[in-house]
Amino acid sequence: MLQGKNIVEGWRSLLVHGLLALLFLILIGRYYYLMIVFHEKYDEKATANHIRAVPVLASRGVVYDRVGNLIVDNAPSYTISVIPIEVKDKPESLERLSQVMEISVKEINRRIVKNRRGSFAPAKVFSRVPFEKISHLQEHRLELIGVTYSIEPIRNYVSNLDLSHAMGYTREINRDDLNRFDKSLDYQPGDQVGWKGIEKYYEVDLHGQRGFRYIEVNALGQEIGEVEDRQPINPVPGHDLVLSIDSYIQASVEKALADSSGSVVIMNHRTGEILAYASRPGYDLEMLSGRISSKDWNALMQDPRKPLYDRGIQGLYPAGSTLKPLAALYSLENHSNAKERTYICRGSYRLGNRSFGCHRKTGHGEMNLHDAIQQSCNVYFYNLIQDIGLEDWAHLAREFGLGEIAGIDIPGENKGLVPDTKYMNRKYGQKKWTKGHLLNIVVGQGDVLVTPLQLAQFASMLAERGIQYQPHFVDKIISKSGDVIQENISKPETRVTASIDTWDFIHQALWDVVNGKKGTAKAARQRDWDIYGKTGTAQNPHGEDHAWFIGFSVDERFPYAWAVLLENGGGGGGKAAPLIGKVLRDIAKRAS
């Protein structure tokens, strides 16, 4: 049956009106969605089209020596950034920037991608820009849509001291680096961050917090001026550091080291404060804190003297005879006849079909323990270790902090190596190592490896009769207003226990090493100042022997302990002891 005409038209009319109503509902819903639900989000996007948030970097905390002399400061530097969305369709801007900065557009685009933080956020492409370049950009700013410049603080090394390995350096971080750092510090690509040394260890304290200023721009992306109704957010500067470094002693150490490859560590054995720290050769902090060229970086990496290598905490060396007091202390505590026991030194020690030599090829004759320390007789200690054994020797060595991290406040410290039975079995096989290995170990050779910092700490614990203070560079962290945020006070920890008689004996023997007629470190002797020490000559399979001298003073004026290492320096008494002797004379001269 056919429907009536009016019925069909009514149905069509209803359908059309229903569709129109649905469309209006969709439009109203979309309007509500955009204007009410997500109003804030799209309002920010719209605002971003004419208001530019320009980051203002915080000044990094500065660094002082122990008496307030400035070591590292900040200096203003020009930075050029590019806003990705504004140069996207304006290649002429990048072409012009390329001409001014004399660098390819391809390289500029690479840096934009590397430091990009979003379409509307400036991406840093040039740092440390000369003023004349900025002047040129300012003159042609209408041709450089989307290109901005700002002033940021950069590291300025105002001191003449070479603290490159201790201070470390800062560098720009990129997108790939962001996951390595504390999210609460709100790092952005292009920010400066501590990359080595003290700069890295105290990054959270030094960094500060960025601020913002708000600039109005027109439809072409050109800056009009500050936005009056939006208050700028001021940056919060980082905290300052007060180091324990004594600049006078540090300068004396650097002068004495000259161009030698090696390390000197001097610390206060009553507090753990590092007074001087040198690792030679060093490197130019200014160069590494900027944008270093691949050519310069490769030159540093390929330098055979390894200037980037921190010998003070990373260098691993045989300790030589500096470790002989270990065996002496154990014997004094555990053998009733330790002081009286004598051995004959004829210049070598025979073990099976092998001969182990003494540094004095003609021999020392009959030696007791005191004379063996004073004259550094190997043969005496070859005999002595037979009654000690590897496990007891290794245990005592670890009690003195050898074979473990000292915990100094710069990253990258090596823990060295103290071999024990487990290690020897793993390396050489069960029962496949011999007493010959033991003879090398007792005189600090063979598998024993130490850092200069560890031997400075060893000397410090000898001075303090078994008490350890954790070594540290930073004494205080202070705010810009002068408030002390943190004070590093090392608490004493008794790690080696021995009788007063034993410690007196060890001290007397080490005093005679420097002051006795037959001592091996006469060159370190001072006129009105008692110096204690032990020389060491570490065999080097790659060249001339390394020279060591460790020592300390218990003088109330100079509670110092030290370790001197000279790579390929020969004998400790001939090179290392004279070096510290010069430094100690400078210290005494200042005190007089």
Side-chain angles (χ1 to χ4, degrees), residues 296-315:
D296 289 338
W297 177 254
N298 289 335
L300 279 172
M301 294 297 289
Q302 295 168 12
D303 189 327
R305 295 186 69 198
K306 300 180 179 179
L308 295 175
Y309 187 53
D310 186 350
R311 288 156 170 82
I313 63 168
Q314 294 177 316

Side-chain angles (χ1 to χ4, degrees), residues 562-591:
W562 56 81
V564 178
L565 165 74
L566 294 176
E567 290 183 352
N568 312 119
K575 294 290 181 67
L579 185 152
I580 201 67
K582 293 177 183 177
V583 174
L584 297 178
R585 282 191 288 276
D586 282 345
I587 292 172
K589 187 185 301 182
R590 179 178 64 170

Side-chain angles (χ1 to χ4, degrees), residues 28 135 188 210 265 441 474 488:
I28 293 170
S135 298
Q188 300 291 347
R210 80 178 72 247
V265 181
I441 288 170
V474 173
N488 290 343

Side-chain angles (χ1 to χ4, degrees), residues 348-521:
S348 64
Y349 179 89
R350 193 78 179 174
L351 181 66
N353 59 359
R354 289 189 62 189
S355 180
F356 293 80
C358 191
H359 74 89
R360 186 173 182 177
K361 295 181 179 180
T362 58
H364 290 94
E366 186 175 10
M367 289 271 105
N368 60 27
L369 182 57
H370 172 276
D371 294 340
I373 296 173
Q374 179 187 11
Q375 299 179 48
S376 201
C377 175
N378 286 354
V379 170
Y380 188 96
F381 287 92
Y382 292 153
N383 282 279
L384 193 61
I385 193 62
Q386 309 300 326
D387 293 331
I388 298 175
L390 180 58
E391 282 302 299
D392 288 336
W393 183 93
H395 175 75
L396 183 57
R398 291 194 182 96
E399 290 297 299
F400 273 105
L402 304 175
E404 62 181 45
I405 299 296
I408 195 168
D409 49 350
I410 54 175
E413 184 185 352
N414 257 326
K415 69 176 184 179
L417 177 61
V418 171
D420 55 15
T421 303
K422 183 179 179 180
Y423 169 84
M424 299 296 282
N425 287 340
R426 186 171 64 249
K427 179 176 180 179
Y428 298 103
Q430 191 81 18
K431 298 182 179 180
K432 291 186 179 180
W433 53 280
T434 66
K435 285 186 177 181
H437 291 93
L438 202 57
L439 302 188
N440 281 325
I441 288 170
V442 75
V443 294
Q445 297 288 163
D447 293 280
V448 178
L449 293 173
V450 298
T451 67
L453 174 64
Q454 286 176 328
L455 284 194
Q457 182 175 254
F458 176 55
S460 178
M461 290 179 67
L462 290 174
E464 287 296 309
R465 299 180 177 233
I467 298 173
Q468 180 192 50
Y469 291 87
Q470 186 172 339
H472 58 273
F473 281 103
V474 173
D475 273 348
K476 295 177 184 177
I477 302 172
I478 57 176
S479 69
K480 291 298 182 185
S481 60
D483 296 326
V484 177
I485 306 299
Q486 179 181 324
E487 191 167 6
N488 290 343
I489 300 176
S490 181
K491 296 180 180 179
E493 179 185 1
T494 301
R495 297 194 52 168
V496 179
T497 303
S499 67
I500 294 175
D501 189 50
T502 291
W503 287 117
D504 286 346
F505 183 94
I506 294 293
H507 276 214
Q508 182 61 51
L510 295 178
W511 186 90
D512 283 329
V513 168
V514 178
N515 303 283
K517 290 183 179 179
K518 296 183 179 181
T520 58

